[in-house]
Amino acid sequence: MVGGGPGAFIGEVHRQAAALDGEIQLVAGAFSADEARSSHQGELLGLDSERTYASFHDMAAHEAALPASRRIDFVSIVTPNHLHYEVARLFLDAGFHVVCDKPLCTTVEEAEALCRLVEDRGAVFALTHNYTGYPLVKQARALVGQGRLGELRKVVVDYSQGWLATRLEDAGHKQAEWRTDPARAGIGGALGDIGTHAENLVSYVTGLELESLCAEVSTFVEGRALDDDANLLLRYRGGARGAAEVHRRGGAYLAPVAAAATRLPPGHPEGFIEAFANIYRNAAGAMAAHAAGTGPTPHDLDFPTVQDGARGVFFVHRAVESARAGGWVEASYTPPGG
């Protein structure tokens, strides 16, 4: 694992999800840019101190030099967005498979470079758009694929959160600090964080290809550098229409007894970790088939890919361009290898 040091929310989610089915074991990590914090996290996880690294560069080099029977099979990337590309590129070049938290990276150029690198290396690359891991989301996809819903005319996606309704970034909140910082989060705030989930869910469930979009992107919290609200109208090939609403409001509706029984922040339904686990399990199956020289099963390949990630990055950039231009923009896109 790269990232996921002390106090990191998503790193612990990934660790629990990867371990859930007993098929994946965490054996090495560079958990923080701070060597002491990385070492401390390794101790908390019971890792061999020789495989708890001061930097992901050290980790990639050292693991690649180990015998095949001892080195890691894949890296899990759970850093802030701006590091996704560099870490993924380094480990792909070193011969490892990759599981990466979304969004894939921060620029379309980086996304396309990763698509080409994954294809060149013949690597497995899974992007953890975890909502694709929910069983009923998969059932919805199957119903669409079977034609049970008839011709799709309209798709509505709504994702509400409220944790950034105030300037938590000024209060030392680690997640808020980097997610509202363009240098670390990228060009989109709410768009990159949860707007990419909306885009990916429509693509996964319906198979529709985006044609154009019109976006209104807002920043409600005064002084914030990135958007914290977005509303989009979308047109898909074949004439279907979409409405994606992405908010950071609400969530304070649970009774105390319900809130006490909920282990996740607002916006995340129960089953969140299990959905991540389904992506890890399928990706691990694809990696095992790759190592054995056999063909992966359709179930093994049921996870978001690097191409899905590239589409998400492109979506964010076009939405920002639409908001700046004040109108519709073309949004049709086929990533390398897609």
Side-chain angles (χ1 to χ4, degrees):
M1 176 170 283
V2 175
F9 164 68
I10 203 65
E12 184 57 28
V13 168
H14 279 254
R15 287 192 287 267
Q16 292 181 30
L20 190 60
D21 292 300
E23 298 177 2
I24 299 169
Q25 180 183 5
L26 178 64
V27 295
F31 301 105
S32 172
D34 182 287
E35 183 175 357
R37 287 173 60 82
S38 183
S39 178
H40 179 57
Q41 185 66 73
E43 291 176 4
L44 292 176
L45 296 171
L47 298 187
D48 182 340
S49 61
E50 292 187 359
R51 299 183 76 181
T52 300
Y53 298 96
S55 73
F56 62 83
H57 297 90
D58 291 346
M59 178 176 165
H62 187 267
E63 290 293 322
L66 291 175
S69 61
R70 289 195 58 218
R71 69 173 69 114
I72 61 171
D73 295 298
F74 73 95
V75 64
S76 175
I77 303 172
V78 294
T79 65
N81 304 346
H82 71 295
L83 291 173
H84 289 185
Y85 170 73
E86 184 180 359
V87 179
R89 179 186 57 77
L90 185 66
F91 279 84
L92 286 167
D93 273 336
F96 298 110
H97 303 297
V98 175
V99 176
C100 183
D101 200 46
K102 59 79 206 166
L104 176 62
C105 50
T106 59
T107 72
V108 175
E109 293 76 16
E110 289 176 348
E112 292 185 345
L114 287 179
C115 288
R116 288 188 286 267
L117 188 55
V118 168
E119 187 173 18
D120 289 344
R121 297 293 186 269
V124 174
F125 192 112
L127 191 72
T128 53
H129 274 301
N130 65 300
Y131 297 109
T132 66
Y134 282 90
L136 289 183
V137 170
K138 296 182 183 299
Q139 176 67 10
R141 185 189 195 198
L143 292 175
V144 172
Q146 295 164 5
R148 299 277 294 278
L149 300 187
E151 180 184 357
L152 296 182
R153 295 176 176 175
K154 188 170 184 178
V155 182
V156 179
V157 185
D158 183 11
Y159 194 143
S160 300
Q161 285 189 350
W163 73 286
L164 279 178
T166 61
R167 287 189 63 91
L168 286 179
E169 58 266 43
D170 291 344
H173 191 289
K174 181 178 178 179
Q175 289 288 321
E177 283 180 353
W178 77 259
R179 290 188 185 278
T180 58
D181 177 7
R184 290 179 285 175
I187 197 172
L191 277 169
D193 189 14
I194 56 181
T196 50
H197 276 309
E199 182 276 331
N200 179 256
L201 269 177
V202 175
S203 175
Y204 181 79
V205 172
T206 70
L208 294 172
E209 295 183 39
L210 187 60
E211 187 174 76
S212 58
L213 61 82
C214 183
E216 178 189 56
V217 177
S218 306
T219 304
F220 284 122
V221 177
E222 186 176 354
R224 180 168 287 161
L226 289 175
D227 60 279
D228 51 28
D229 179 84
N231 294 274
L232 289 80
L233 296 175
L234 306 105
R235 293 173 181 162
Y236 291 91
R237 290 179 183 172
R241 297 292 187 261
E245 302 178 5
V246 184
H247 307 277
R248 290 196 182 278
R249 295 281 182 254
Y253 49 79
L254 291 176
V257 66
T262 302
R263 295 174 177 82
L264 299 164
H268 300 306
E270 293 300 314
F272 184 73
I273 290 173
E274 288 84 351
F276 270 100
N278 285 337
I279 293 176
Y280 270 96
R281 182 177 60 185
N282 293 349
M287 294 174 201
H290 184 279
T294 60
T297 69
H299 292 302
D300 291 337
L301 296 176
D302 185 14
F303 56 81
T305 66
V306 66
Q307 284 81 20
D308 293 315
R311 278 186 283 268
V313 174
F314 184 81
F315 168 79
V316 170
H317 279 257
R318 294 305 281 162
V320 171
E321 290 176 24
S322 168
R324 290 172 176 171
W328 288 88
V329 297
E330 291 298 316
S332 176
Y333 177 65
T334 301

